[in-house]
Every structure is written in C-alpha cells, then in structure tokens.
Amino acid sequence: MTTLVWFTDDLRVHDNQALYLASQRSEPLVCLYCVDEDWFKPNQYGLKRIGDQRWQFLNETLHALNVSLKKYGQRLCILLGSPVAVIGNIIEKYNITSIYCNSQAGYYENRNWQTLKDKYVSVSFNRVESSTLFAGHQLTHIDEFPKTFSKFRHHVDSIDFTIDPLINISHRIELILPPAISIDNSELPTVIDNNPNTSFVGGEKVALEHLTAYFLSAAPSTYFDTRNELEGWLLSTKLSPWLANGCLSPRKIVSSLLEYEENHGENKSTRWIYFELLWREYFHWYAYHYGKDMFAFRGIVNKKLLTSFYPQRFKQWCHGKTPYPIVNACMNQLNSTGYLSNRGRQIVSSCLVNELQIDWRCGAAFFEQQLVDYDVASNWGNWQYVAGVGCDPRGGRHFNLDKQTQSYDPEGTFIKKWGGEDNAGKLDYIDAADWPI
C-alpha cells in the first residue's frame, strides 16, 4: 500500500496541508507533479497555455521543491502527460490507497479530480485548501455566492482563518515524511533561458527570502501610494509569481503582514495589502463556484458583447504595435519579462476590449501564456471584470489611455524605456488588394 501526494499549485514544503496529512500515514510515499503535454500545444486561440517564461519559472520551482523534499528523504517525481492518465497508471502500478491534493479553483482541474475519483472508487481521495485564506467549511454560512466583491468581503470580514485546526497543525508541526518510492522522471520540454530581464526566480527558498526582505523594508507602509506605478521593485509586493505557483501560501503572507503591523503600526497601506489578498480569495471561490462559465464569452451574467476577432489588431496588441504608446510599452514589458504591473494589466485589457473591440478571452489566453504569476481564477476573473461580463456592477471598465499616460507616465520615461513609440502602427491596414474588383 502506498500514499500519493499530488502537487499542483502548492509547490512548497512549509504550510502544506496535503503533505502534512500524508506524512501521518506509515505507508511509503510518492510525491508527484504532472506536466500536462497540452500546455505546450496551440489552443483555440492559437496560443500555448504556458509560454517560455512561465515554463522557466515553473521548472525552477519544481527543481527547488525536489531539493527541499530531499532534506526529508523524499524526491519529487515529475511526469509528462495527462494527469488522469499519469495518475491512473501510478495508482495501478504502485497500489496507491490514498491520494492527497490541494484543492484547485479551475474547472478543468476539478474535472480531472472527479474523473479519477469516479474511476478508482477503492482509493481514498483527500483534498485540502492550501492556496486560500479560508477553508471551504468556513464559508458554508454563505447561502448564495456573492456576485460582487463587496458582498463577499462583508461575509468573510468576521472569519478568522487561523482557527481552522488543520491550518494550525500543518503550519507548526515539524514535518517527518515516510520513505520514498522511486519512480523515474519524464523527459521534460527544454527550458530556454531567454528571459534576462526577469527579476523572478522560481522556488520556495527564493520566495521566503523575498517575503522576509519585503517586510523588513518600509515599503508596506507606503503600498497604497505606490501600488499603481508602472514599474519599480518595491512599489508593489511582487509576491504574486510565488503565490500563484504555491511557493508561498496566502496565510504565510498575512502572518508576515500582521507581524509587520505589530512592529510598525497598521495603516491604510498595510490594510490594502490584505484587501488585495481578499480580492484573490474572492476570485478563487468565484472560479470554483462558476466553473466553466469563467471561460464563457458572455461570462457569468450572460451579457451579449459587440466584439469580433480582428487577427491583425490582436497581433498588434500582442507584439506592442498598436497606435497607443502606453499600451505598446506595457506589452513589450510583459513579453520581455513575463510580468506586468496591475495598472499595466488594466490599461492593456481595457484597450483590447474597448479600443480594439476584440473578444476578451483572446487577451485572457495571451496572459495565461505569458504571465509568470498566472493563476486561472485571478486572470480570468479580472478579464471578465474589465469586459463587463463578470463581478463588476458597473458593467465593464474603459480607461482613457491619454489620461492613464498623463497620470502614470507623464514624462514618458516608461514608454521610452520599453519602446512604446518605436513600432506604433495604424489600427487597421487596408490596401487595394483588400477591395473587391
């Protein structure tokens, strides 16, 4: 008999409830991560689900996790293939009796889990919430899922996420892991280190170092005033890549935040960091609740949009060649580094939806490919919000690009650095060959 820990977006050893529960069993243990082959194939938008920079960061994270597990006499088995097929094969080959996994928000991830449960009824399937502040049982008092963030916040304001006993135990008890089962890793896609501009390196150790450094600085006390800047390492927390991949848990971040407030005082800026973690929390449960509707053109409100697909416009947007220098600069930064500020994301998403009138899902899919901090809930939830088919009661967000430029890049420094004007083009290209005879 063997226990399996299926790592997903909880790529760490600390504060990992699934790993802790598995450690309580005396059976040999398999620690597994599945790399889905479909991530690297073109999807319905002609894009990959994971681009080179995201894959580089994830690959670094997986190798760092393996190093951490080795300290406990374990190793990370990384296998290439469909999770259902890979895990099904391991269940049968290694007599798996129990599986522990972090609960995920995505519709397709949940479908894979349910498929395995339905097929292998003799196996004990156990899910825990390691990627959220709150556990599911703490939200049972919500009769109908709130369609706005403000209502969700009202429901959770009185909940203390630290009272969940499993959270307390897995966070504090020293981890002792059972012996490992040896399984050969797959040959994974090659990592091309073509990202010299990135400041992000994957892995739990780097994540904890950055968390410590951020809260040792004075930046948390001025976060509210600096969070909308287009660039600057300490002007926002920069925790999102490690949070998205599970190198850090949101509970660990809040714990550090509360310690900072105890030492330096609470103010609007420190509370705003928590406020934005609550937004992430909301989108997680939003995605879990709405399932496949996260990817629907009409969103969760079934609203008809007057958009189309303009291949030339979409290509210009992706490559930073629109008529809008601020948008081009943001897209060039994204393509070069795999990262974009929150303000930059709002600017380019509004442009795609409103100025270019393109299906919002094309932009969401491009972000999925490019962003090192991609997570399904925050990405698709925010894109629905901007497009007016999600949780925004105003019905969409349209940013004035000239005003955004004047507010956040009045001297043109950001635009110049990222070549926003270098390849600015017309919105559409038409010549005689396009006209009927």
Side-chain angles (χ1 to χ4, degrees), residues 21 31 43 51-52 64 78 83 114 123 155 201 295 300 326 359 420 432:
L21 290 174
C31 293
N43 58 20
D52 291 343
I78 307 172
Q114 191 59 48
V123 177
H155 282 295
V201 176
F295 312 104
I300 66 167
I326 189 69
D359 184 339

Side-chain angles (χ1 to χ4, degrees), residues 360-431:
W360 64 271
R361 297 174 301 173
C362 298
F366 188 74
F367 271 23
E368 179 175 357
Q369 175 182 275
Q370 298 296 95
L371 285 171
V372 294
D373 64 357
Y374 169 81
D375 83 73
V376 61
S378 296
N379 183 66
W380 291 82
N382 272 304
W383 271 95
Q384 284 195 349
Y385 182 90
V386 171
V389 295
C391 63
D392 184 7
R394 284 172 45 178
R397 301 280 160 153
H398 189 174
F399 292 90
N400 182 310
L401 299 180
D402 289 334
K403 184 178 179 181
Q404 294 294 309
T405 303
Q406 287 301 313
S407 297
Y408 299 107
D409 192 31
E411 304 299 323
T413 306
F414 179 79
I415 289 175
K416 183 177 181 179
K417 176 179 178 179
W418 293 105
E421 294 180 329
D422 293 352
N423 296 300
K426 299 177 181 178
L427 190 58
D428 295 299
Y429 294 88
I430 298 176
D431 58 34

